[in-house]
Amino acid sequence: MKLYTGKAGSNPKKVAIFLKEKGVEVPTQLFDMMAFEQRQPDFLKINSLGTLPVLELDDGTIITESVAICRYFEELHPAPALFGTDPVSKALVEMWCRRVEIEVHNVCAQVVQHSAEFFKDKVQQVPEYAQNQRALAPKKFAWLNEEMSDGREFIAGDFFSMADIIGFTGTGLAQMLKIELPDDLTHFHAWHQRISARPAFQS
Ligand SMILES: N[C@@H](CCC(=O)N[C@@H](CS)C(=O)NCC(=O)O)C(=O)O
């Protein structure tokens, strides 16, 4: 098996953190994303979207999508469980992965895609949309803060999960974009400090 990935990028980072949490090492080919290696014709035959990460299995099966790759490794290495352990916790992790991906991570990613030079040949950029999503982002972090005001330790409940990894990489995008995350988002900041201290989150 081989993991095609990059040093930069929030989605490669999700898989890197997940694998560290699992204590799993995978043969890896690092792409120079800024040199657009992932957009070259040979790689487009592997992933038509020209994005990373991608996992190639020994039988040639190609798995794209960071969360799908993590789910595959969860099946191979069930402990520690990062997608829940029983019907309720599994549903809660799925729910929160989607909520954090769509409501937080993707809003920040849209700002990048509609404003960064890096995407100008790939995305039909609409600067007003980038501004709109930038203005929306603080509201999404305020929403997450409010959701976490019930005292839960992690995003999906009282256990660490994939949802925390997605929340962390989404927050990384916001930091990169210098989106203000006010100090009074106390539940959000306490959560962020808690997970940032985990060994797997050290870069
Ligand atoms: N939904 C995909 C998104 C993958 C993605 O957009 N990856 C970015 C890095 S964060 C990428 O490879 N961009 C390179 C490019 O567009 O050239 C996932 O979760 O893996």
Side-chain angles (χ1 to χ4, degrees):
M1 111 180 20
K2 195 195 283 183
L3 180 66
Y4 302 104
T5 192
K7 276 195 191 144
S10 52
N11 293 294
K13 191 157 196 153
K14 281 181 206 161
V15 175
I17 294 172
F18 184 91
L19 290 173
K20 278 196 203 167
E21 285 282 346
K22 288 275 183 193
V24 170
E25 287 192 16
V26 179
T28 294
Q29 183 174 331
L30 270 185
F31 279 50
D32 183 347
M33 294 176 69
M34 299 313 284
F36 302 116
E37 284 182 356
Q38 70 284 357
R39 296 188 195 172
Q40 300 312 307
D42 277 356
F43 188 67
L44 293 179
K45 287 183 203 147
I46 294 175
N47 177 10
S48 55
L49 292 178
T51 56
L52 299 165
V54 171
L55 182 68
E56 183 171 8
L57 304 186
D58 292 342
D59 69 357
T61 302
I62 298 294
I63 304 175
T64 70
E65 295 300 323
S66 50
V67 178
I69 292 169
C70 294
R71 280 194 179 279
Y72 175 74
F73 284 114
E74 178 90 349
E75 292 293 322
L76 292 190
H77 305 278
L82 298 182
F83 281 96
T85 51
D86 58 74
V88 172
S89 62
K90 285 181 180 179
L92 288 173
V93 173
E94 177 69 18
M95 166 184 149
W96 278 105
C97 282
R98 288 185 59 76
R99 290 185 122 192
V100 175
E101 182 88 54
I102 294 166
E103 300 292 331
V104 176
H105 197 286
N106 195 44
V107 170
C108 296
Q110 290 299 307
V111 179
V112 180
Q113 293 202 6
H114 282 268
S115 61
E117 180 77 10
F118 179 79
F119 284 106
K120 78 174 186 350
D121 296 330
K122 194 166 187 181
V123 174
Q124 199 172 351
Q125 293 181 318
V126 180
E128 294 77 14
Y129 184 61
Q131 282 169 16
N132 168 288
Q133 295 295 285
R134 180 180 274 281
L136 183 60
K139 299 187 178 91
K140 297 298 186 177
F141 284 96
W143 164 77
L144 184 59
N145 181 67
E146 185 60 29
E147 283 285 341
M148 296 196 73
S149 66
D150 61 4
R152 81 186 86 149
E153 205 174 334
F154 297 105
I155 289 182
D158 60 2
F159 58 98
F160 175 80
S161 77
M162 185 71 208
D164 295 296
I165 298 176
I166 300 171
F168 179 81
T169 56
T171 304
L173 285 175
Q175 291 167 330
M176 184 189 80
L177 291 163
K178 302 201 181 336
I179 286 168
E180 204 195 335
L181 302 169
D183 287 346
D184 65 359
L185 302 183
T186 52
H187 307 289
F188 162 77
H189 285 296
W191 160 81
H192 190 254
Q193 275 176 15
R194 203 154 40 238
I195 58 163
S196 298
R198 295 172 75 91
F201 286 70
Q202 312 310 312
S203 48

